[in-house]
Amino acid sequence: LALLIFAAQLIAHGGFDHVIGTVVKMENNVLTVKTAKGNVDVRLNEKTEITRDDQKAVAADLKPGTRVVVDIPEHSKDKVAHSVKLGVSKPIDTHTHSPQ
């Protein structure tokens, strides 16, 4: 999943284009996502659905570094997000384990 998140930038699927990457910033209802091919700005509005683990989330949850998948209707000229799905980061294990 992590590889998928970072590998693609804009992919069409199911009537939507997908912007996949990490949040750079959220400002004035514009979400900037860092993708493998550069930054992409998408607009959010009152209809944009924001979720984390299939639970409702809010725009304040879109913090820099958060992994996201943004669905935009195909051929949308104004890039208004239909939905934003937030990823969950797993903690990095900093302990080294020696074989027994």
Side-chain angles (χ1 to χ4, degrees):
L1 179 64
L3 181 59
L4 175 66
I5 296 278
F6 294 106
Q9 175 279 105
L10 193 62
I11 304 168
H13 178 71
F16 292 99
D17 290 328
H18 306 294
V19 177
I20 303 171
T22 57
V23 173
V24 174
K25 66 181 177 177
M26 174 64 186
E27 191 172 275
N28 298 322
N29 292 327
V30 176
L31 175 64
T32 302
V33 179
K34 179 179 180 181
T35 71
K37 298 208 177 193
N39 290 352
V40 176
D41 291 333
V42 295
R43 291 189 13 217
L44 307 185
N45 65 18
E46 65 282 350
K47 294 180 182 178
T48 302
E49 204 176 273
I50 303 172
T51 58
R52 180 189 307 256
D53 295 329
D54 295 323
Q55 301 293 317
K56 185 173 172 61
V58 295
D61 295 325
L62 297 169
K63 298 182 187 317
T66 303
R67 295 183 302 185
V68 294
V69 176
V70 182
D71 291 342
I72 302 168
E74 279 186 287
H75 311 297
S76 171
K77 291 184 187 343
D78 53 2
K79 289 189 181 177
V80 175
H82 173 265
S83 67
V84 180
K85 294 176 185 79
L86 286 75
V88 178
S89 299
K90 294 186 178 182
I92 297 172
D93 184 1
T94 58
H95 297 74
T96 55
H97 299 281
S98 52
Q100 295 183 11

